[in-house]
Amino acid sequence: MDPANRLKIVEPERMSILGLMLSSIIRSNLDRETVLKRVARLDGKVGVTAGKMSITMAFDRSSVTLTRGLTSGLRARVNGSLDSLLQVSLGKSLLNVYFSKAVSFSGNPLFLIKILPLIRVPAATEPR
Amino acid sequence: MTPNRYERLFGDVVPEQRLVTDEATLSRFSRDTTEAEPGRPDVVLFIENAAEAEAAVRVAAEHRVPLIPRIAGTNLGGLSIPVRGGAILDLTGFNRIIDINEIDMIAVIEPGVTFGQLVAELKRRQLPLTIGIPLSPPHTSIMANCLLDGLGNLSLLYGTMGEWITGLEVLLSTGQTIRTGAWAVSDVPPFARAPLPDLTGLFVSWQGTTGLVTKMAVELKPKLAFRRRLFVLTYNRRTTYDLMRRLARQRMFDDIGGLSWPTGKMMYGIERPLERDPDEPEFFTYIDLSANSEAELSIKLDTMTRIIAEQRSNGAELEDPLDLDTIVKVAPQFEKFAEFPTDLEFLTQHPGGGLSWVGTYGPMSRFDRAADLGIEIMARYRFPPLIVSRPMKGGHFGVLRFIETFSRDDDKEVEAVRRCNAELTTMVLEQGFIPYKTPVRTTAQVIPHLWPGTHQLMRRLKEVLDPYQIMNPGRWGLDTEEEL
């Protein structure tokens, strides 16, 4: 698939800073072969809420689409402060933030675990 | 080729290669990033020292040639664009750091010394000192920012940069050199403006109309070892300004700055964000702290956290502080805010490269209303509501700026900026705010609001200090032939 079409943002000019930050991380991850293979197996939507901001990430086995707000048919939801979610993106364990009550989850936890590599900030040394 | 009039006049002032009259250079110096009307100079002189400056002033006075001082030209007010032709004195190369007195914490510098240069020099000498640094590129001039009464990242504690000046050495169009502050007493180091009659103000905010400053003594401040910069996301401007007002009066924080939501989007490459996700924060408010020890830093952080918690318990919507280091790891774009001076390229590197603003100082008690009205005006002209707000001098007042990016190649857009800025200026004046680094067009709007005796005195002072009317004419309605 054309790398430029792997990530779509619906109405990018109206996307919240949460969506823009996540899109930037996802875009850099989509350059990595291992993550691409994982995306090819993902189908469904995840809702992410940080403070008052929400976005939906929709996977269709070939691409990721980010939409402002929460849409219907979510397979999982993540909710927490922006700081907590950034810490997850920087590698903090999901269980850790869950048990410290900094972040809450609902829906299918397995699906969440599958999308995790996509929203983690890649280390400079990670293979592409 | 026969030399033209200006080449003949100034031929002995600087070496030939530093006297420029070619069309490309004159055209480059005839405009800046703003919507200001272009104004062509007749000659550009690249001045490198006081003797050359003195010679240029002498020739200009004798032949009544306007002199326009210029360094980086990034004042966002068209202040170094000639209004009546003449000679631009490019002072970029007139840039020695003459002295850094570590004990008195004073630097003596020439006009071309830049923020980047001084910061590098302090670092090289391993001096734990700093200066108030504006949100501008490293190549901008310290002296220009001080003389235009701009601000820096320590203005919350110490006020406008004009207040940091402890003494000036100024060349008048009469050929006389004067000194201000304690420096006026011979052999006394320029330690303060006090206690002599303070003449420094005759050259601050006058936009180069009263004399050519060739040396400036300016305060430095201790650079504390422990520093943090945090961002608090606030969901509306009421919360933002309440937070600023409360934090400002704690006397604990170096700087507090609210950047409205378009900033974040522009950093992600969205050139003209006009609509906000209604659920996203309206302001990113950065808070700078510094301390002598971890313990002191901890007290300051605790105070900030307590104030945020109190605000939240009163119903305000805001996020917990985010450490800038964390944000930068996730969003490297924010590294632009990690160290000052900094080049915020997203403001200038876009098609057409235009950048303008209405920058004002005003009472913090009126920020909310002025911001509401300013946002309405900007929306009407289809400009993103890009606002920067910072409390200054312990919260007595603050800076409120309305910023537009636009294409200078699009006449309609340039005209829209002019009209938008005119309307913003009318509004801010009605709300009790005063524009700073004031462009010619804006000055014309300010003058009718000036107390009549004030403007009359300004004109008389101009006549005394610049009897030949050569110093950056056309500004502040000061020239004798200008109609009031």
Side-chain angles (χ1 to χ4, degrees):
Chain A
M1 184 183 186
D2 178 3
N5 292 327
R6 287 177 195 150
L7 175 70
K8 294 174 216 156
I9 304 175
V10 178
E11 294 186 292
E13 65 287 349
R14 294 184 69 192
M15 180 52 78
S16 67
I17 195 72
L18 168 69
L20 292 173
M21 279 182 172
L22 281 178
S23 68
S24 171
I25 301 169
I26 293 170
R27 189 170 283 118
S28 57
N29 278 321
L30 286 174
D31 285 342
R32 295 160 57 207
E33 202 56 44
T34 50
V35 175
L36 268 182
K37 281 181 186 165
R38 190 177 278 256
V39 170
R41 293 195 295 271
L42 290 173
D43 196 359
K45 296 178 186 173
V46 176
V48 180
T49 301
K52 285 180 70 183
M53 293 176 278
S54 294
I55 60 154
T56 299
M57 295 190 283
F59 301 88
D60 65 359
R61 294 187 184 276
S62 62
S63 66
V64 188
T65 304
L66 297 190
T67 314
R68 209 160 43 88
L70 297 175
T71 62
S72 59
L74 298 176
R75 287 183 68 182
R77 270 194 71 177
V78 187
N79 195 335
S81 69
L82 185 59
D83 189 34
S84 310
L85 293 175
L86 295 185
Q87 295 300 342
V88 171
S89 282
L90 290 171
K92 200 163 184 179
S93 141
L94 267 183
L95 286 178
N96 202 328
V97 291
Y98 178 74
F99 285 119
S100 67
K101 295 189 176 165
V103 170
S104 63
F105 310 118
S106 58
N108 184 341
L110 219 58
F111 194 66
L112 275 181
I113 291 168
K114 282 183 186 169
I115 68 142
L116 200 56
L118 209 63
I119 61 163
R120 291 256 206 232
V121 175
T125 52
E126 280 182 61
R128 293 203 164 267
Chain B
M1 203 169 144
T2 319
N4 72 22
R5 176 180 179 239
Y6 296 94
E7 288 165 335
R8 284 196 306 276
L9 286 178
F10 292 102
D12 292 334
V13 169
V14 289
E16 191 181 351
Q17 68 275 17
R18 290 197 273 114
L19 186 159
V20 182
T21 55
D22 70 88
E23 267 315 315
T25 305
L26 298 185
S27 170
R28 185 161 61 84
F29 280 81
S30 69
R31 61 192 298 215
D32 62 11
T33 65
T34 71
E35 77 287 6
E37 297 284 356
R40 187 181 173 281
D42 296 298
V43 61
V44 179
L45 305 173
F46 292 85
I47 300 289
E48 294 191 351
N49 54 56
E52 289 174 358
E54 210 176 310
V57 169
R58 193 177 55 246
V59 172
E62 190 182 339
H63 299 276
R64 306 291 191 269
V65 178
L67 292 178
I68 302 97
R70 185 186 195 277
I71 302 156
T74 52
N75 53 69
L76 294 188
L79 304 183
S80 45
I81 297 175
V83 175
R84 302 206 178 110
I88 284 187
L89 302 183
D90 184 306
L91 306 170
T92 316
F94 188 0
N95 65 347
R96 284 180 311 145
I97 297 172
I98 296 166
D99 185 34
I100 295 177
N101 185 320
E102 187 188 356
I103 296 171
D104 296 327
M105 296 181 289
I106 302 282
V108 178
I109 57 174
E110 291 180 336
V113 172
T114 66
F115 285 97
Q117 185 184 348
L118 183 65
V119 167
E121 182 61 16
L122 292 168
K123 196 172 173 184
R124 190 186 70 76
R125 297 193 196 184
Q126 298 184 310
L127 296 177
L129 294 171
T130 187
I131 191 164
I133 303 171
L135 264 172
S136 64
H139 67 274
T140 51
S141 155
I142 297 171
M143 185 187 285
N145 196 39
C146 290
L147 292 177
L148 293 172
D149 228 357
L151 71 158
N153 63 346
L154 291 171
S155 288
L156 172 56
L157 294 174
Y158 304 110
T160 67
M161 292 304 291
E163 296 179 63
W164 291 49
I165 300 171
T166 59
L168 297 173
E169 190 170 286
V170 190
L171 199 51
L172 303 181
S173 67
T174 54
Q176 195 179 17
T177 298
I178 65 151
R179 277 186 172 184
T180 72
W183 219 0
V185 176
S186 56
D187 297 332
V188 171
F191 60 82
R193 302 258 278 263
L196 296 173
D198 185 9
L199 301 180
T200 304
L202 293 173
F203 307 97
V204 175
S205 278
W206 286 75
Q207 303 184 352
T209 57
T210 45
L212 183 67
V213 180
T214 52
K215 268 188 215 166
M216 177 179 78
V218 63
E219 292 173 358
L220 302 173
K221 303 291 179 187
K223 185 176 183 178
L224 308 189
F226 296 84
R227 293 160 62 211
R228 293 279 291 277
R229 177 166 289 163
L230 299 118
F231 272 81
V232 178
L233 306 187
T234 46
Y235 285 94
N236 60 63
R237 66 197 82 120
R238 301 276 170 274
T239 301
T240 310
Y241 294 143
D242 280 347
L243 179 68
M244 278 186 186
R245 285 187 281 256
R246 292 203 58 192
L247 292 175
R249 58 176 55 202
Q250 304 302 315
R251 296 196 301 178
M252 282 191 169
F253 306 104
D254 291 356
D255 192 14
I256 302 167
L259 312 165
S260 63
W261 61 271
T263 317
K265 293 193 199 287
M266 290 167 97
M267 286 170 75
Y268 278 95
I270 297 168
E271 281 169 14
R272 191 170 278 205
L274 288 169
E275 286 188 66
R276 174 168 80 106
D277 173 351
D279 289 329
E280 78 175 315
E282 187 174 6
F283 273 87
F284 304 76
T285 302
Y286 68 81
I287 301 167
D288 281 357
L289 306 92
S290 64
N292 293 292
S293 65
E294 284 281 11
E296 186 187 349
L297 193 68
S298 176
I299 291 169
K300 291 185 174 187
L301 287 166
D302 287 349
T303 303
M304 179 188 69
T305 308
R306 176 178 53 77
I307 287 171
I308 289 170
E310 282 171 8
Q311 263 198 299
R312 197 175 279 138
S313 69
N314 290 331
E317 291 180 315
L318 68 173
E319 294 285 331
D320 285 332
L322 298 165
D323 199 296
L324 182 64
D325 293 343
T326 305
I327 300 177
V328 168
K329 282 179 196 156
V330 176
Q333 292 89 333
F334 279 81
E335 191 149 29
K336 289 280 162 203
F337 291 100
E339 283 292 336
F340 293 164
T342 185
D343 205 344
L344 302 178
E345 291 108 344
F346 63 90
L347 291 176
T348 50
Q349 292 188 8
H350 53 82
L355 175 65
S356 186
W357 72 6
V358 173
T360 69
Y361 293 154
M364 292 213 62
S365 57
R366 299 184 182 186
F367 263 42
D368 309 60
R369 180 72 180 141
D372 289 350
L373 294 169
I375 286 168
E376 272 174 40
I377 293 168
M378 294 180 90
R380 214 169 333 111
Y381 287 95
R382 306 286 296 159
F383 288 113
L386 185 55
I387 297 180
V388 177
S389 320
R390 293 158 89 177
M392 295 167 69
K393 210 160 188 189
H396 287 296
F397 67 103
V399 64
L400 182 61
R401 292 183 195 135
F402 302 93
I403 302 170
E404 303 107 350
T405 56
F406 64 100
S407 170
R408 286 182 299 170
D409 305 325
D410 182 335
D411 291 345
K412 276 188 184 163
E413 218 162 70
V414 170
E415 187 52 31
V417 174
R418 283 180 187 148
R419 287 167 49 206
C420 183
N421 282 351
E423 211 172 314
L424 284 167
T425 302
T426 302
M427 181 277 292
V428 292
L429 287 166
E430 282 168 1
Q431 294 300 315
F433 287 72
I434 301 173
Y436 71 107
K437 299 188 180 177
T438 327
V440 172
R441 281 168 180 271
T442 308
T443 311
Q445 287 182 264
V446 174
I447 289 170
H449 291 261
L450 281 178
W451 198 260
T454 303
H455 198 236
Q456 282 162 16
L457 179 61
M458 285 171 69
R459 287 172 66 103
R460 282 163 55 199
L461 288 169
K462 165 76 174 175
E463 282 170 25
V464 170
L465 295 166
D466 180 25
Y468 304 121
Q469 306 274 316
I470 59 166
M471 294 294 184
N472 212 5
R475 309 194 189 264
W476 275 123
L478 297 174
D479 306 333
T480 42
E481 70 270 29
E482 277 184 79
E483 289 295 321
L484 278 181

